[in-house]
Amino acid sequence: MRLIGVDGVIDLWGITRPKAYSDKRRGKWGPPDWIATGADVWLADRFGPEAGQVDLTRIDRDALPPLLGNKELALCFNVSVRTVETMQARGRQDVKTPEPYDRIGKTPVWWAPPWEEFARLTGRKFSLARLPPQSQRPGFIPYPKAE
C-alpha cells in the first residue's frame, strides 16, 4: 500500500507548495485517509499522474488499518512522545525498534504489527484500544454531506 502526503503530491504533480496547500484547504483532494502525528496521509492510488486528478471515492476510514506516528505510538504504549522518541533513538541491543514503513514529509509512520511484536519481545504493554477512531482524532475532516 503506497502512501502519500502533501510533499508527495507536490513531487507527483510538479506543483508549487502554495498551490498544493491551497488545493488541500479547498478540499480538492478530499479529506485525508489517515492523520498520523498531525500529518495528512492519503492512499497514493487516489492521485492520478496529471495535476487535479483525484479519486474522491468515500471509504470507511475507521475500517482502515491503524497508521501510527509518534503521537499514536505514545498513546498505544501509554507513555510520552518523548519516551517514544528516546526508544527509537537508543534502541536496544537485543531487540531493534521497527523501521518506519514510510515517511510523510518528515513524519515517520508505521503499521501496528511491527510495534506489537516489539512490545511482545520487550515486555512492554501496547494496546491499539487506546487510540481513538480516526473520526475522533484531532484534525479529522469529515466527508461533505451528500447532496
Side-chain angles (χ1 to χ4, degrees), residues 2-79:
R2 285 189 37 240
L3 307 175
I4 196 167
V6 175
D7 289 340
V9 175
I10 290 169
D11 292 343
L12 176 67
W13 289 347
I15 59 177
T16 65
R17 185 167 299 283
K19 167 80 169 129
Y21 279 99
S22 172
D23 287 354
K24 178 180 154 287
R25 273 192 310 277
R26 291 181 177 157
K28 293 183 178 182
W29 300 355
D33 297 315
W34 291 275
I35 297 172
T37 308
D40 295 337
V41 183
W42 291 267
L43 292 166
D45 296 345
R46 288 185 173 278
F47 294 86
E50 300 295 322
Q53 289 181 336
V54 182
D55 175 5
L56 297 174
T57 305
R58 292 173 184 242
I59 58 173
D60 180 4
R61 293 177 281 178
D62 285 336
L64 291 170
L67 186 68
L68 309 173
N70 284 341
K71 286 183 183 176
E72 292 78 18
L73 286 171
L75 286 172
C76 291
F77 280 113
N78 200 23
V79 297

